[in-house]
Amino acid sequence: GPWPAAITQVPERIFFTFHMLGGMLFGGGVIMTTGLELLVTKNKRPEVLQFYFDKVPLLDSAVVLPGLTIAMISGTGLCVTRYGSLGGAPAHIPVVFYCLTAFAAWWAATDLATQPKAMRAIDEWVAKGASTDIPAIVEDRFISNIVSCLFVVALYGIMVLKPGTLPQYTPHLPHLF
C-alpha cells in the first residue's frame, strides 16, 4: 500500500488503542455537539446562542476532526497489521469507508454549510432585539444533527456487529441477548 514500511513495526495494540480513542472523540464529539445545540436552542437566550454558534466550529476542529483523523489512520494501521493491507481486509472495512463517505457528504452539505448561516441569523436576531422566535435555520439544524448522530450509530453498529464479535464466534463468553 501507499504507507511507509515502518507501519508494520507498530504493535497492533497501539493501533487498536488509538482507533478506540479516535472513535470516541469523533463519535462523542458529534453526539455531544448535537446535545449541546439542542439545549442551547431550547434555552433561547441570545448571549448563549451567540456564544455557542461562535464556538461550535472550534469544537469540530479541536475534537471531531482530530478524532476522525486518528481513527482513520489507526484503523488503516490495524488493517495493515491484521490483514496485510486494506485490500485484504474483511467486508466490514469497506462498509465503514462507504458509511464515512456518506457521513462526510451529509455533514458538509447540511451541518458545515448551515453553521455560518445560523451564526449570521443569530447575530441579526440579536441586533434586532431578539424579541421574536429564534431564526428557523437554527431550529432546523436539529434534523441534520440527528441524522449525523445516526451515522455515528451506524458506524459503531458496523464495528460492534462485525464478524468475530457476534455470540456464535464467542461461545465461551456469557451472552447478554
Side-chain angles (χ1 to χ4, degrees):
W3 39 80
I7 199 170
T8 61
Q9 303 304 311
V10 177
E12 184 268 354
R13 291 286 96 179
I14 299 294
F15 285 130
F16 183 78
T17 301
F18 278 97
H19 193 60
M20 295 301 108
L21 291 173
M24 285 187 284
L25 286 172
F26 167 69
V30 170
I31 292 168
M32 178 191 65
T33 55
T34 296
L36 283 174
E37 192 164 324
L38 175 65
L39 291 173
V40 164
T41 303
K42 297 297 179 196
N43 178 280
K44 299 184 181 189
R45 290 180 46 205
E47 63 276 7
V48 173
L49 284 157
Q50 279 185 308
F51 175 81
Y52 178 79
F53 279 99
D54 183 50
K55 301 303 180 206
V56 72
L58 297 174
L59 280 172
D60 288 341
S61 62
V63 176
V64 176
L65 295 177
L68 178 59
T69 303
I70 292 166
M72 299 273 305
I73 291 169
S74 58
T76 301
L78 275 174
C79 282
V80 172
T81 303
R82 290 179 176 174
Y83 314 114
S85 70
L86 282 172
H92 73 276
I93 301 296
V95 172
V96 167
F97 280 104
Y98 299 142
C99 190
L100 279 171
T101 302
F103 169 79
W106 172 262
W107 199 42
T110 65
D111 189 75
L112 294 179
T114 59
Q115 277 179 2
K117 293 175 187 173
M119 194 157 73
R120 278 193 304 278
I122 290 294
D123 289 341
E124 291 170 9
W125 177 68
V126 169
K128 292 178 183 173
S131 58
T132 60
D133 287 337
I134 292 174
I137 190 169
V138 175
E139 291 184 336
D140 293 346
R141 284 175 44 84
F142 183 68
I143 295 165
S144 166
N145 290 337
I146 289 297
V147 172
S148 293
C149 288
L150 291 174
F151 273 110
V152 169
V153 170
L155 285 164
Y156 276 87
I158 293 164
M159 298 310 290
V160 169
L161 299 174
K162 68 185 174 212
T165 59
L166 298 175
Q168 66 264 34
Y169 298 107
T170 55
H172 59 287
L173 296 176
H175 301 289
L176 299 176
F177 301 104

